[in-house]
Coordinates of all heavy atoms in Angstrom, one line a residue:
Y561 N -30.6 14.3 -136.1 CA -30.5 12.8 -136.0 C -29.4 12.4 -137.0 O -29.5 12.8 -138.2 CB -31.8 12.1 -136.3 CG -31.8 10.6 -135.9 CD1 -32.4 10.2 -134.7 CD2 -31.2 9.7 -136.7 CE1 -32.3 8.9 -134.3 CE2 -31.2 8.3 -136.4 CZ -31.8 7.9 -135.2 OH -31.7 6.6 -134.8
L596 N -16.7 -0.7 -136.1 CA -17.9 -1.3 -135.6 C -19.1 -1.0 -136.5 O -19.1 0.0 -137.2 CB -18.2 -0.8 -134.1 CG -17.0 -1.1 -133.2 CD1 -17.3 -0.7 -131.8 CD2 -16.7 -2.6 -133.2
K598 N -22.3 0.1 -136.6 CA -23.0 1.4 -136.8 C -23.3 2.0 -135.5 O -23.2 1.4 -134.4 CB -24.3 1.2 -137.6 CG -25.3 0.2 -136.9 CD -26.5 0.0 -137.8 CE -27.5 -1.0 -137.1 NZ -28.7 -1.3 -138.0
A599 N -23.6 3.3 -135.6 CA -24.0 4.1 -134.4 C -25.0 5.1 -134.8 O -25.2 5.4 -136.0 CB -22.7 4.8 -133.8
R600 N -25.6 5.7 -133.8 CA -26.6 6.7 -134.1 C -26.6 7.7 -133.0 O -26.3 7.4 -131.8 CB -28.1 6.1 -134.1 CG -28.4 5.2 -133.0 CD -29.8 4.6 -133.2 NE -30.1 3.6 -132.1 CZ -30.6 3.9 -130.9 NH1 -30.9 5.2 -130.6 NH2 -30.8 3.0 -130.0
L601 N -26.8 9.0 -133.4 CA -26.7 10.1 -132.5 C -27.9 11.0 -132.7 O -28.4 11.1 -133.8 CB -25.5 11.0 -132.6 CG -24.1 10.3 -132.5 CD1 -23.6 9.8 -133.8 CD2 -23.1 11.3 -131.9
K626 N -27.4 12.5 -127.4 CA -27.5 11.1 -127.0 C -26.8 10.3 -128.1 O -27.0 10.6 -129.3 CB -28.9 10.6 -126.8 CG -29.1 9.2 -126.4 CD -30.6 8.8 -126.2 CE -30.8 7.4 -125.8 NZ -32.2 7.0 -125.6
G627 N -26.1 9.2 -127.8 CA -25.4 8.4 -128.8 C -25.3 7.0 -128.4 O -25.0 6.7 -127.2
K628 N -25.5 6.1 -129.3 CA -25.5 4.6 -129.0 C -24.6 4.0 -130.1 O -24.7 4.3 -131.3 CB -26.9 4.0 -129.0 CG -27.7 4.4 -127.8 CD -27.1 3.8 -126.5 CE -28.0 4.1 -125.3 NZ -27.5 3.6 -124.0
L629 N -23.8 3.0 -129.7 CA -23.0 2.2 -130.7 C -23.6 0.8 -130.7 O -23.9 0.2 -129.7 CB -21.6 2.2 -130.1 CG -20.5 1.7 -131.1 CD1 -20.3 2.6 -132.3 CD2 -19.1 1.6 -130.3
Q630 N -23.7 0.3 -131.9 CA -24.2 -1.1 -132.1 C -23.1 -1.9 -132.8 O -23.0 -2.0 -134.0 CB -25.4 -1.0 -133.0 CG -26.6 -0.3 -132.4 CD -27.8 -0.2 -133.3 OE1 -27.8 0.6 -134.2 NE2 -28.8 -1.1 -133.1
P631 N -22.3 -2.6 -132.0 CA -21.2 -3.5 -132.6 C -21.8 -4.7 -133.3 O -21.1 -5.2 -134.1 CB -20.4 -3.9 -131.3 CG -21.3 -3.7 -130.2 CD -22.2 -2.6 -130.5
N632 N -23.0 -5.1 -133.0 CA -23.7 -6.1 -133.7 C -25.2 -6.0 -133.6 O -25.6 -5.1 -132.9 CB -23.2 -7.5 -133.2 CG -23.4 -7.7 -131.7 OD1 -24.5 -7.6 -131.2 ND2 -22.2 -7.9 -131.0
Q633 N -25.9 -6.8 -134.2 CA -27.4 -6.7 -134.2 C -28.0 -7.0 -132.8 O -29.1 -6.6 -132.5 CB -28.0 -7.6 -135.2 CG -27.6 -7.3 -136.7 CD -28.1 -6.0 -137.1 OE1 -29.1 -5.5 -136.7 NE2 -27.3 -5.3 -137.9
Q634 N -27.2 -7.7 -132.0 CA -27.8 -8.1 -130.7 C -27.5 -7.2 -129.5 O -28.1 -7.3 -128.5 CB -27.3 -9.6 -130.3 CG -27.9 -10.7 -131.2 CD -27.3 -10.7 -132.6 OE1 -26.1 -10.5 -132.8 NE2 -28.2 -10.9 -133.6
S635 N -26.5 -6.3 -129.7 CA -26.1 -5.5 -128.5 C -26.0 -4.1 -128.9 O -25.9 -3.7 -130.0 CB -24.7 -6.0 -128.0 OG -23.7 -5.8 -129.0
E636 N -26.0 -3.3 -127.8 CA -25.9 -1.8 -128.0 C -25.2 -1.2 -126.7 O -25.6 -1.6 -125.6 CB -27.3 -1.2 -128.1 CG -27.4 0.2 -128.4 CD -28.8 0.8 -128.7 OE1 -29.5 1.0 -127.7 OE2 -29.2 0.9 -129.8
I637 N -24.2 -0.4 -127.0 CA -23.5 0.2 -125.9 C -23.4 1.7 -126.1 O -23.7 2.2 -127.2 CB -22.1 -0.4 -125.7 CG1 -21.3 -0.1 -127.0 CG2 -22.1 -1.8 -125.4 CD1 -19.8 -0.6 -126.9
A638 N -23.0 2.4 -125.0 CA -22.9 3.9 -125.1 C -21.8 4.3 -126.1 O -20.7 3.7 -126.1 CB -22.7 4.5 -123.7
L639 N -22.0 5.3 -126.9 CA -21.0 5.8 -127.7 C -20.2 6.8 -126.9 O -20.7 7.5 -126.1 CB -21.6 6.6 -128.9 CG -20.7 7.1 -130.0 CD1 -20.0 6.0 -130.7 CD2 -21.5 7.9 -131.0
E673 N -22.9 4.2 -116.0 CA -23.4 3.2 -116.9 C -23.6 3.7 -118.3 O -23.8 3.0 -119.2 CB -24.7 2.6 -116.4 CG -25.8 3.6 -116.2 CD -25.9 4.2 -114.8 OE1 -24.8 4.2 -114.1 OE2 -26.9 4.8 -114.4
K674 N -23.5 5.1 -118.5 CA -23.6 5.7 -119.8 C -22.3 6.0 -120.4 O -22.2 6.6 -121.4 CB -24.5 6.9 -119.7 CG -25.9 6.6 -119.4 CD -26.8 7.9 -119.4 CE -28.3 7.5 -119.1 NZ -29.1 8.7 -119.1
Y675 N -21.2 5.6 -119.7 CA -19.8 5.7 -120.3 C -19.6 4.6 -121.3 O -20.1 3.5 -121.1 CB -18.8 5.7 -119.2 CG -18.6 6.9 -118.4 CD1 -19.6 7.6 -117.7 CD2 -17.3 7.4 -118.2 CE1 -19.4 8.7 -117.0 CE2 -17.0 8.6 -117.5 CZ -18.1 9.2 -116.9 OH -17.9 10.4 -116.1
N676 N -18.8 4.9 -122.3 CA -18.3 3.9 -123.2 C -17.2 3.0 -122.4 O -16.3 3.6 -121.9 CB -17.7 4.5 -124.4 CG -17.2 3.4 -125.4 OD1 -16.2 2.9 -125.3 ND2 -18.1 3.2 -126.4
P677 N -17.4 1.7 -122.4 CA -16.5 0.9 -121.6 C -15.0 0.9 -122.0 O -14.1 0.6 -121.2 CB -17.1 -0.5 -121.6 CG -17.9 -0.5 -122.9 CD -18.4 0.9 -123.1

Side-chain angles (χ1 to χ4, degrees):
Y561 193 98
L596 299 181
K598 57 185 177 180
R600 51 186 173 83
L601 301 93
K626 183 178 180 180
K628 291 291 184 179
L629 191 66
Q630 294 177 283
N632 53 60
Q633 296 296 327
Q634 289 75 39
S635 63
E636 186 176 78
I637 60 176
L639 186 65
E673 60 269 18
K674 294 184 178 180
Y675 278 55
N676 182 279

